[in-house]
Amino acid sequence: MQRKITNIAHRGASSYAPENTRAAFDMAINMGVKHIELDVHSSKDGRLVVIHDDTLNRTTNGKGNVADRTLKELKALDAGSWFDHKYSGEKLCTLEEILVEYKSAVYLHVEIKGNTPKLAQKTCDMIRDFNAIEKTIITSFWKPWLIETRQYAPEIKTGWLVPMGPGSEWNDSIISDSLNHRFNQICPRADLVTPSLVTKLHDNGFEVRCHGVFTEALMENVVECGADGMTINFPDKLISYLKKKGLAID
Ligand code: G3P
Ligand code: CA
């Protein structure tokens, strides 16, 4: 069977449009991408909101913690101008809105970021409510969210982003831990993946999709190492590279 690489638009086509907004997701889909990645936090009133950071400071015109604001307050913010004034109409989205608008078009890689109680369960409930189990995988750096997902909704796929923290290194206990918890996917950082690591993870039954693909050199490394896919801020460049190499794109 021909090898296929999964091209996951990281926070949407986030090199070109404000991350985790409709503008970035729509741009990725217009490029031909079939997978988008997004980050989930809880608002003060318990709604699941799509934003990367714990705070509003970097990617909106607001200040302070996401978890300290109600959805109504979050919806009043501008989530596009920080990137370019032409995106000044962009609003933060809820996970519910993303499921409504994008579930039929793409697969969703939902990363749980926040630290409010039962956030994984609430995310699973939302995915179940929208019959999106086949179109979704839950990922996290924070293993307890994945364990909560496995216990609460074993039918939903899980992927562990590893290792935790930019300076941290690979440790084979990641494999035994992932086997113990029956995670489906291991997501190594792109700068530490090697062909032998990919082989070892495949031999243990895991899908391997990388994160932290900040340059085209890292993108090429992930492909050459034999990984199954990656999140990437410039999915158009991955499409071009895979076409050049004669590899199929998922
Ligand atoms: O592919 C996962 C990736 O999104 C993890 O890093 O910081 O961009 O959420 P981060
Ligand atoms: Ca993420």
Side-chain angles (χ1 to χ4, degrees), residues 31-50:
M31 288 170 177
V33 166
K34 298 279 185 295
H35 295 257
I36 59 175
E37 190 264 358
L38 54 93
D39 303 287
V40 169
H41 283 266
S42 177
S43 66
K44 187 178 178 185
D45 47 347
R47 303 294 296 274
L48 301 180
V49 182
V50 176

Side-chain angles (χ1 to χ4, degrees), residues 10-11 37-39 52 111 113:
H10 180 234
R11 314 181 202 166
E37 190 264 358
L38 54 93
D39 303 287
H52 180 272
E111 183 185 347
K113 282 287 195 201

Side-chain angles (χ1 to χ4, degrees), residues 197-218:
L197 178 60
V198 173
T199 301
K200 197 178 341 181
L201 297 177
H202 280 161
D203 288 349
N204 278 280
F206 296 105
E207 292 172 15
V208 183
R209 78 89 166 145
C210 293
H211 73 276
V213 180
F214 300 121
T215 64
E216 287 182 68
L218 285 169

Side-chain angles (χ1 to χ4, degrees), residues 14-246:
S14 56
S15 280
Y16 313 109
E19 64 182 55
N20 279 321
T21 65
R22 286 181 180 86
F25 299 137
D26 290 343
M27 190 176 286
I29 289 167
N30 288 334
M31 288 170 177
V33 166
K34 298 279 185 295
H35 295 257
I36 59 175
E37 190 264 358
L38 54 93
D39 303 287
V40 169
H41 283 266
S42 177
S43 66
K44 187 178 178 185
D45 47 347
R47 303 294 296 274
L48 301 180
V49 182
V50 176
I51 184 169
H52 180 272
D53 297 359
D54 294 341
T55 71
L56 299 161
N57 306 7
R58 181 177 64 87
T59 60
T60 75
N61 61 344
K63 290 260 179 291
N65 294 325
V66 176
D68 292 339
R69 302 296 179 90
T70 63
L71 181 61
K72 191 173 174 195
E73 290 168 333
L74 294 171
K75 279 287 188 185
L77 299 173
D78 173 348
S81 293
W82 69 275
F83 190 87
D84 189 302
H85 63 85
K86 73 180 177 191
Y87 292 111
S88 63
E90 287 301 321
K91 298 289 176 201
L92 294 176
C93 300
T94 61
L95 180 60
E96 183 174 353
E97 289 167 337
I98 295 294
L99 283 161
V100 169
E101 290 170 42
Y102 296 104
K103 186 193 86 173
S104 59
V106 288
Y107 289 86
L108 299 171
H109 298 248
V110 177
E111 183 185 347
I112 303 182
K113 282 287 195 201
N115 57 6
T116 51
K118 299 196 174 170
L119 187 51
Q121 292 189 32
K122 286 183 178 178
T123 305
C124 293
D125 284 341
M126 183 73 66
I127 291 167
R128 282 173 166 164
D129 288 350
F130 282 87
N131 286 323
I133 289 158
E134 301 301 327
K135 302 282 305 257
T136 312
I137 180 164
I138 289 183
T139 66
S140 193
F141 283 102
W142 180 237
K143 190 172 57 175
W145 285 142
L146 301 177
I147 294 171
E148 184 172 310
T149 299
R150 291 291 306 149
Q151 288 171 348
Y152 185 71
E155 76 278 22
I156 298 178
K157 284 175 76 175
T158 45
W160 192 12
L161 299 160
V162 285
M164 184 99 130
S168 49
E169 289 308 319
W170 181 264
N171 183 318
D172 272 351
S173 66
I174 290 167
I175 299 176
S176 48
D177 250 13
S178 299
L179 286 168
N180 282 343
H181 296 297
R182 302 187 313 285
F183 301 151
N184 305 87
Q185 194 175 73
I186 293 183
C187 311
R189 211 175 60 225
D191 65 343
L192 55 72
V193 75
T194 61
S196 61
L197 178 60
V198 173
T199 301
K200 197 178 341 181
L201 297 177
H202 280 161
D203 288 349
N204 278 280
F206 296 105
E207 292 172 15
V208 183
R209 78 89 166 145
C210 293
H211 73 276
V213 180
F214 300 121
T215 64
E216 287 182 68
L218 285 169
M219 170 187 88
E220 293 180 14
N221 180 53
V222 170
V223 175
E224 300 316 317
C225 285
D228 304 302
M230 69 190 84
T231 45
I232 186 163
N233 301 358
F234 35 89
D236 54 334
K237 293 186 178 162
L238 180 56
I239 291 170
S240 302
Y241 182 68
L242 295 176
K243 282 185 179 158
K244 194 173 80 183
K245 301 281 291 184

